[in-house]
């Protein structure tokens, strides 16, 4: 298995532009998570899905952020419009089942820089 | 919100020494997990310890869990330069299997050759 795949690996954009981050989870995993990592705030959970359904989006910082999971093999995180404070590394992770017995598998991350 | 909190924030040791990192958390849990992150990479799972377990070993890793104190420790024995990384503890919310992991801010370990 190729693991969790994220694209792009690096994204540099200007303030006000739309940014779309993509994730392909491991096949057969029921859960998908989006995290954001910064030096100041550490690793923050933004949103997670179970069987393609969003379960908790309370970590999404504001309405500029949206996430979708149209099918079991693909998810997107969109920021529109982007701001410099959105600069961070965004990680997607997937998990095969309930948290009590399963680890989470992380993708390599997308490093976003908003100028 | 942060559930787990690692201590110390940074640790520097000589190769061959043991490294101990601690994690404290706030609410009841189903399990506690430790992850490693090399610079510029994603997190990699190291070990999972369930709430009814007190100690677990995996190679040079030893994890303990004290649910009465809401704390865990990760011991890396005979450290190597390749162990240089950030180490995170992660916990779930405890009441349901349908919860995400919440991570602490990590301990940055430097192993000097």
């Amino acid at each position: 298995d190729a693991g969790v795949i994220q694209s792009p690996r690096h994204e540099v954009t200007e303030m006000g532009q739309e940014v779309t981050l993509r994730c392909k989870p491991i096949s057969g995993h029921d859960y998908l998570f989006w995290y954001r990592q910064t030096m100041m705030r550490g690793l923050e959970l933004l949103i997670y899905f179970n069987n393609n359904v969003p379960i908790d989006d309370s970590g999404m910082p504001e309405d500029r952020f949206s996430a979708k999971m149209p099918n079991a093999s693909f998810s997107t995180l969109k920021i529109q419009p982007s701001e410099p404070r959105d600069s961070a590394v965004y990680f997607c992770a997937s998990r095969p089942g309930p948290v009590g017995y399963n680890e989470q598998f992380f993708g390599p991350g997308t490093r976003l820089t908003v100028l | 919100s942060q559930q787990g909190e690692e201590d110390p924030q940074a640790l520097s040791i000589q190769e061959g020494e043991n490294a101990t990192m601690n994690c404290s958390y706030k609410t009841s849990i189903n399990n506690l997990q430790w992850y490693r992150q090399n610079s510029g990479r994603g997190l990699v799972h190291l070990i999972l310890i369930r709430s009814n377990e007190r100690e677990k070993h995996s190679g040079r890793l030893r994890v303990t869990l004290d649910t009465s104190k809401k704390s865990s420790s990760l011991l890396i024995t005979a450290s190597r330069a390749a162990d240089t990384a950030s180490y995170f503890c992660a916990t779930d919310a405890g009441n349901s299997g349908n919860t995400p992991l919440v991570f602490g801010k990590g301990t940055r370990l430097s192993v000097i050759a």
Side-chain angles (χ1 to χ4, degrees):
Chain A
D1 199 324
V4 176
I5 299 172
Q6 291 187 247
S7 65
R9 292 293 310 277
H10 302 272
E11 177 81 27
V12 180
T13 191
E14 293 189 347
M15 183 174 63
Q17 296 297 307
E18 177 179 296
V19 174
T20 299
L21 311 181
R22 297 173 175 78
C23 175
K24 177 178 168 54
I26 294 173
S27 177
H29 283 194
D30 295 336
Y31 292 83
L32 183 139
F33 308 86
W34 282 101
Y35 290 87
R36 177 173 69 175
Q37 187 177 39
T38 61
M39 287 295 293
M40 289 295 294
R41 299 175 69 89
L43 198 63
E44 302 173 277
L45 176 68
L46 300 177
I47 185 172
Y48 76 101
F49 296 82
N50 179 209
N51 292 322
N52 313 338
V53 176
I55 303 300
D56 185 353
D57 66 354
S58 60
M60 297 285 259
E62 46 198 277
D63 292 346
R64 298 184 296 106
F65 285 69
S66 63
K68 294 182 180 179
M69 192 165 186
N71 57 62
S73 60
F74 184 65
S75 178
T76 59
L77 178 67
K78 186 177 293 186
I79 308 172
Q80 166 63 16
S82 58
E83 297 182 3
R85 59 192 168 124
D86 301 331
S87 297
V89 181
Y90 290 81
F91 288 101
C92 175
S94 69
R95 191 175 80 202
V99 69
Y101 304 95
N102 295 285
E103 64 185 269
Q104 290 180 189
F105 294 79
F106 281 77
T110 295
R111 182 174 295 276
L112 173 65
T113 303
V114 183
L115 304 174
Chain B
S1 62
Q2 298 290 342
Q3 160 75 311
E5 191 168 316
E6 293 89 346
D7 169 61
Q9 292 185 355
L11 180 62
S12 183
I13 60 174
Q14 296 289 326
E15 202 167 32
E17 294 180 340
N18 295 341
T20 299
M21 289 158 272
N22 303 298
C23 170
S24 59
Y25 57 92
K26 298 175 184 174
T27 64
S28 63
I29 58 172
N30 287 312
N31 69 60
L32 184 143
Q33 303 184 26
W34 285 90
Y35 287 75
R36 182 186 72 214
Q37 183 180 33
N38 289 89
S39 180
R41 309 289 290 273
L43 280 73
V44 175
H45 179 262
L46 294 176
I47 197 165
L48 180 156
I49 185 167
R50 297 201 174 91
S51 59
N52 61 353
E53 298 176 311
R54 292 295 167 259
E55 187 170 314
K56 204 162 184 180
H57 296 254
S58 176
R60 294 185 295 112
L61 305 180
R62 171 178 170 255
V63 169
T64 61
L65 179 64
D66 186 337
T67 52
S68 66
K69 295 181 179 178
K70 292 187 171 58
S71 67
S72 173
S73 67
L74 170 67
L75 169 67
I76 303 174
T77 60
S79 63
R80 306 167 183 168
D83 295 328
T84 295
S86 291
Y87 292 82
F88 296 84
C89 70
T91 55
D92 63 313
N95 294 327
S96 159
N98 187 30
T99 55
L101 288 177
V102 179
F103 289 79
K105 290 191 175 181
T107 293
R108 293 187 306 280
L109 173 66
S110 298
V111 181
I112 302 166

